[in-house]
Amino acid sequence: MINCPYTPIEIARRHIGQTERAEYNPYLKMLTSRALVRGLKSGFWRPLSSTSSVQAAHGKDMSPDVLDPSVQQYNNRLDTPLSDVPFVRNLNSEQRQLKEKEKGPWTKLTKEEKIALYRLTHELTYPEMRRGSSEWKTVLGGVFIFLGFSGMLVWWQRIFVFGEVPHTLSDEWVEKQTQRMIDMRINPVGGFAYHWDYVKKQWK
Amino acid sequence: FSPVGKMFRPVVRLSTSGVRSLTRTRPCYSAPLASRCYSHAKVETDEEFDARWVTYFSKPDIDAWELKKGMNTLIGYDLVPEPKILDSALRACRRLNDLASAIRILEAVKDKSGPHKDIYPYLIQELQPTLIELGISTPEDLGMDIL
């Protein structure tokens, strides 16, 4: 122990830490088993809500090419009206012709051409950016489903798990009990017997 | 002072302390107890701000990046730009042959006005000569203000 690099308290701590590890504790081992963790991770709602199909149903853009942060990307932001790059980078010949026409007087452009030029550079207009989604309905629905399910479980438990209520809660017993409490003058000042009118023999 | 400029922009005060001159060790040059110790930096007036931005967008050889940067910065401020700044920006778009950005600018200032629905019609009214001259259609004309 003279040349031991660790102090006694560290050795003790390590030992305590070790006993808490899964190898020593069979219950902990079960709880932290890979299968269970994977099961919890692949969970229930999380992958469901973030799958492309659900997100796409709610109108969110899930294309993978917007996810590279090292490349200048187009984004729809209310606080950044002009994005770094136009929405459509690779123009076909028709679009290129339109761009050429844009170099001339804009009074010569038709409304459709102006809209087309706008859509080349920007994906969404401001009202489209501000539009909400119906995701809240899915979320609320999911919440209610789970609450309902829990309610079902509680009800099942009430019927099949819980036994009979003790006989001391039967009406007959409670009547006799109450009479006894009145006779004993339980809490005569501010509590129970205070509310009993001993003259008229009824509750106040 | 232009009352119109004041309408659009909250006054930015550079205050560093309240009315606590007794406990402050920093020298307050005005003696009375109720005075406030503002920083001695010069506050830019509304006209100076407007002039600065008009000059920025008026650069004859402005490039696309400068336009984007200027516009994004301007929209980041807590104000709706004056018509003269927007006029300058729209002309910059014309020099850059960028109609889409011009329309986007109009959309952005409408969005910037937030709940104050009377600002945008005023801006369009002021910008009407420029819009007609340059041939810029408003988002309303193009049916882009509704979904």
Side-chain angles (χ1 to χ4, degrees):
Chain A
M1 289 295 266
I2 298 169
N3 290 325
C4 177
Y6 306 109
T7 61
I9 188 89
E10 283 173 290
I11 295 169
R13 275 209 195 107
R14 273 163 140 242
H15 180 70
I16 291 167
Q18 276 193 336
T19 51
E20 282 170 358
R21 285 219 310 244
E23 285 77 11
Y24 283 78
N25 186 341
Y27 293 109
L28 202 60
K29 190 166 189 177
M30 186 181 75
L31 285 172
T32 57
S33 72
R34 284 187 178 274
L36 189 65
V37 170
R38 216 179 304 126
L40 287 170
K41 269 191 193 167
S42 65
F44 209 77
W45 181 243
R46 207 142 114 302
L48 209 61
S49 73
S50 53
T51 48
S52 308
S53 48
V54 176
Q55 292 287 31
H58 293 307
K60 290 189 191 168
D61 178 24
M62 296 302 287
S63 51
D65 48 304
V66 302
L67 298 176
D68 179 4
S70 65
V71 169
Q72 274 186 329
Q73 49 168 272
Y74 172 81
N75 37 37
N76 294 305
R77 287 185 62 107
L78 294 169
D79 60 4
T80 312
L82 305 177
S83 192
D84 298 332
V85 293
F87 180 56
V88 179
R89 298 302 301 275
N90 314 310
L91 304 170
N92 62 32
S93 61
E94 202 180 277
Q95 290 163 337
R96 251 176 274 140
Q97 273 177 355
L98 189 56
K99 278 289 186 186
E100 284 302 315
K101 198 173 175 195
E102 197 185 13
K103 294 184 183 165
W106 291 338
T107 40
K108 298 255 180 9
L109 294 167
T110 66
K111 281 203 178 153
E112 289 74 29
E113 284 174 336
K114 289 181 183 175
I115 296 174
L117 280 169
Y118 181 94
R119 291 289 180 185
L120 281 180
T121 329
H122 303 109
E123 184 192 3
L124 301 174
T125 66
Y126 268 70
E128 284 167 7
M129 279 194 263
R130 281 206 173 268
R131 178 190 56 198
S133 74
S134 310
E135 192 181 3
W136 67 273
K137 294 177 193 165
T138 311
V139 170
L140 210 59
V143 167
F144 287 145
I145 286 171
F146 277 102
L147 285 177
F149 180 66
S150 312
M152 291 285 139
L153 286 179
V154 169
W155 191 13
W156 178 88
Q157 194 182 34
R158 176 73 184 81
I159 298 172
F160 292 105
V161 175
F162 293 150
E164 283 298 325
V165 146
H167 68 101
T168 50
L169 292 174
S170 67
D171 288 334
E172 200 194 310
W173 189 281
V174 169
E175 260 182 51
K176 292 186 184 163
Q177 181 180 285
T178 317
Q179 183 58 56
R180 187 154 181 263
M181 282 168 76
I182 288 166
D183 296 339
M184 284 200 291
R185 310 282 201 271
I186 299 285
N187 285 339
V189 179
F192 194 79
Y194 168 75
H195 295 291
W196 179 259
D197 190 341
Y198 285 92
V199 173
K200 293 196 205 139
K201 299 265 194 292
Q202 65 186 29
W203 292 109
K204 288 185 190 161
Chain B
F1 271 92
S2 140
V4 167
K6 275 262 186 269
M7 177 169 87
F8 292 153
R9 187 158 157 232
V11 180
V12 175
R13 298 217 147 249
L14 302 168
S15 162
T16 54
S17 76
V19 193
R20 279 176 278 131
S21 48
L22 287 174
T23 51
R24 287 266 160 196
T25 51
R26 184 179 319 170
C28 260
Y29 294 110
S30 4
L33 228 65
S35 78
R36 293 183 174 218
C37 304
Y38 295 129
S39 117
H40 296 284
K42 186 170 164 296
V43 178
E44 188 181 49
T45 65
D46 290 348
E47 289 77 21
E48 285 166 358
F49 176 87
D50 294 344
R52 192 159 54 84
W53 277 102
V54 167
T55 316
Y56 179 88
F57 286 118
S58 303
K59 191 171 142 192
D61 55 347
I62 193 171
D63 68 26
W65 185 92
E66 284 174 355
L67 172 68
K68 274 184 264 173
K69 176 66 182 167
M71 225 35 245
N72 293 337
T73 311
L74 193 58
I75 294 297
Y77 294 147
D78 181 20
L79 52 84
V80 180
E82 283 274 330
K84 53 172 138 39
I85 303 177
L86 296 174
D87 174 78
S88 190
L90 293 174
R91 289 185 189 280
C93 289
R94 174 66 266 192
R95 289 197 293 282
L96 288 164
N97 300 320
D98 194 351
L99 176 66
S101 295
I103 302 171
R104 189 71 153 183
I105 289 170
L106 295 176
E107 274 195 310
V109 298
K110 180 178 185 184
D111 188 73
K112 202 64 193 160
S113 341
H116 304 282
K117 300 285 178 216
D118 49 348
I119 296 180
Y120 180 69
Y122 166 77
L123 290 173
I124 294 298
Q125 176 200 315
E126 293 290 311
L127 287 170
Q128 205 59 259
T130 310
L131 294 178
I132 293 171
E133 180 196 329
L134 298 177
I136 302 170
S137 305
T138 64
E140 289 70 36
D141 289 340
L142 300 172
M144 291 199 301
D145 56 326
I146 39 141
L147 287 167

